Amino acid sequence: LKCCFCIAALFAGIAPAFGACDDPPAPQVNWYGCDLSERDFSGKDLRGAVFSNSTLRATIFSDAVLNGADFEGARLEGADLRNAQLVHARFINANLHKARLEQANIANARFDRADLRDTMLERCNGENASFYDANLSRAHLTLCQLPGANFEQANLTGADFSNAVLTKARFSDATLEKAKLQNANLQKAKLMTANLSGTDVSHADLTQADLTGAEIAGATFKDAILANTVWIDRRRCKPISVGECQ
């Protein structure tokens, strides 16, 4: 597998560092399938590193540089990625249950189909990050910057997006049942056919958002700004709409 990666890397103009699982950390190192649980890589430069299918339970990556790193299929339960640089990193199908990513830079990172249940992501920077079909039930994303993020078909049951910036974010067909969106900025967000049952959207800004076909039974829109919002029945709310679509 490492040889295959080497050939692909050479065609891509990359010169990766290869070695055994106990080799020291380095940019573009290939630790495919390694068990690095509980290791401490805090502050290390691991940009472009390969952790695909590796076991990284409770591993410490706080303040590490992991831009472009590949964690596809990795086991990261309880891992510490606080303040890490994860721009363009790949976590497709990874298990990040109860991982910590507070204040991490996950801009343009991919978490498609990943398990992010109970994950801590407060104050993250996730511009254009993708969480397509991921499980973020009970995840904490308060005060995150997530403009343009993709949450389509994601499970966001009980997730906390309070005070988050979600402008132009996509939530089509997502499950947001009993999620918290208080004071969130959802301007121009796409929530078509999303399940918002029991969701708290109070004081949120939904200016020009699209809720066509969304399920809103039991949802709270107290003092929410609904200026020019496309309502569940495709009506466009009046610019003066607050708390209810007029």
Side-chain angles (χ1 to χ4, degrees), residues 2 9 18 37 40 50 52 54 57 68 81 88 91 98 105 112 120 127 132-133 146 159 170 183 197 218 228:
K2 290 186 178 181
F18 293 119
S37 297
D40 188 348
V50 176
S52 302
S54 292
R57 293 187 178 96
L81 294 124
H88 288 290
F91 291 89
K98 292 187 176 180
N105 186 352
D112 303 341
M120 309 295 283
E127 183 174 3
Y132 174 80
D133 197 27
L146 293 158
R170 290 169 284 163
N183 297 298
S197 301
N228 295 309

Side-chain angles (χ1 to χ4, degrees), residues 8 12 29 42 53 56 103-104 119 137 141 157 168 193 217 223 236 239:
V29 67
S42 55
N53 294 318
L56 302 158
Q103 299 185 54
T119 299
S137 55
L141 300 105
T157 303
K168 297 183 179 180
T193 62
D223 295 325
R236 186 171 294 278

Side-chain angles (χ1 to χ4, degrees), residues 213-232:
E215 174 59 59
I216 61 170
T220 301
F221 288 88
K222 181 181 178 181
D223 295 325
I225 299 172
L226 300 169
N228 295 309
T229 301
V230 179
W231 199 238
I232 60 172

Side-chain angles (χ1 to χ4, degrees), residues 224-229 236-246:
I225 299 172
L226 300 169
N228 295 309
T229 301
R236 186 171 294 278
C237 306
K238 295 179 180 179
I240 59 171
S241 296
V242 176
E244 62 177 337
C245 184
Q246 299 180 16

